[in-house]
Amino acid sequence: MFAVYAESFSSDDPLSGLVLGERPDPEAPDGWATIEVKAAALNHHDLWSLRGVGLKEEALPMILGCDAAGYDEDGNEVLVHAVISHPDWTGDETLDPRRSLLSERHQGTFADRVVVPRGNVIPKPSSLSFEEAACLPTAWLTAYRMLFSQGGLKAGDTVLVQGAGGGVATALITLGRAGGLRVLATSRDETKRKRALEIGAHDVFEAGERLPLKVDAVMETVGRATWSHSVRALRPGGAIVVSGTTSGPRLDDAELTRIFFLQLRVIGSTMGTRTELAGLVNLLDASGARPLVDRALPMEKATEGFAAMADGELFGKIVFTR
Ligand SMILES: NC(=O)c1ccc[n+]([C@@H]2O[C@H](COP(=O)([O-])OP(=O)(O)OC[C@H]3O[C@@H](n4cnc5c(N)ncnc54)[C@H](OP(=O)(O)O)[C@@H]3O)[C@@H](O)[C@H]2O)c1
């Protein structure tokens, strides 16, 4: 079958290890389902994989992609939950120490077909297109858990989203607005700041700009480039919810003095549970909010999508279609 996969790693030139070509058809073990992929969203995770972060050399070649929407064996429209927990695990799948994401241990979704445990297959609401549904399992689920589970935010609270243009960031803005939050956002780019206003941010700022008010929580996916600004943006007792470090994890200043003196909380967040994925679908259904697709490309043009993400030239999600 056709697939988009990693053949080697390079931290400086991640696209050099990306291959588009034929891979063997997957075989579904007992209890697993074969999904015919119609749409699969690109995540920064796929670039990290090509850089050799989170993916082991012995797992190569590895089909990339965490997210998919498509058809199950009975022709039902479905989407897949990308967190694969151990069959013995019960409870929050993201806390299973043996869990992995699709494309880490098991082949990913950038292919004609992908196999996943039956428990990871969930119905696709007919109100969402395949392209929109493909955005949910990683970026949108991560944003949902950051805001409402780990962040514990409720209607009326004020949140700052760092780096407005990204897949997770646009989800944070849209979901924050749908959930009744006051949403502030930063971006390095003026056009992206304007677009953030269009998708629901109440106010936008340049990266690092002093805010006119302190916020209840900051949603961090950028890391080193925005960390100090995030800490300084918080009211006493506020929280940073961190799920990514796109600009790097090594901080120039962890701002520990401010963190203890203002009794700030730093909360990690990764992906989300199947129950949260169902909650996210319900929120989209009830609010009419929809994932923002920057562009949909045929999977044969995947390299174009990877290059745009590596250059930061996107606003929302890049989705590959079959
Ligand atoms: N823990 C999890 O479960 C989980 C799930 C999904 C994603 N993540 C992580 O979250 C991060 C974002 O993922 P994504 O898929 O949304 O990536 P993406 O679509 O490529 O977005 C990249 C983001 O980084 C910002 N950015 C990059 N370099 C920056 C810099 N030097 N200064 C300021 N902002 C910078 C961009 O903001 P502007 O261009 O607007 O400034 C944009 O918001 C990645 O590190 C990813 O690995 C983690």
Side-chain angles (χ1 to χ4, degrees), residues 42-45 47-48 101 138-139 142 162-170 186-189 192 207 220-222 225-226 242-247 269-272 309-310 312 314-317:
L42 179 65
N43 290 290
H44 218 93
H45 183 271
L47 267 184
W48 290 125
L101 302 187
T138 298
T142 299
Q162 296 282 20
V168 177
T170 50
T186 68
S187 176
R188 299 165 293 174
D189 181 273
K192 291 183 188 179
E220 246 307 341
T221 60
V222 180
T226 50
V242 53
S243 75
T245 56
T246 305
S247 64
S269 193
T270 281
M271 300 295 285
M309 178 170 276
L314 52 75
F315 191 84
K317 296 296 296 172

Side-chain angles (χ1 to χ4, degrees), residues 14-90:
L15 269 65
S16 62
L18 183 68
V19 182
L20 278 62
E22 288 295 308
R23 295 294 303 147
D25 262 311
E27 282 179 28
D30 272 356
W32 288 51
T34 303
I35 307 302
E36 186 192 332
V37 177
K38 294 301 294 175
L42 179 65
N43 290 290
H44 218 93
H45 183 271
D46 303 304
L47 267 184
W48 290 125
S49 297
L50 288 166
R51 290 195 160 102
V53 179
L55 184 58
K56 295 197 170 69
E57 186 97 41
E58 57 267 27
L60 296 177
M62 175 61 78
I63 300 174
L64 298 171
C66 299
D67 301 337
Y71 293 105
D72 70 8
E73 295 109 332
D74 299 322
N76 300 307
E77 296 189 358
V78 297
L79 57 120
V80 299
H81 182 214
V83 182
I84 313 291
S85 53
H86 191 273
D88 297 341
W89 181 261
T90 52

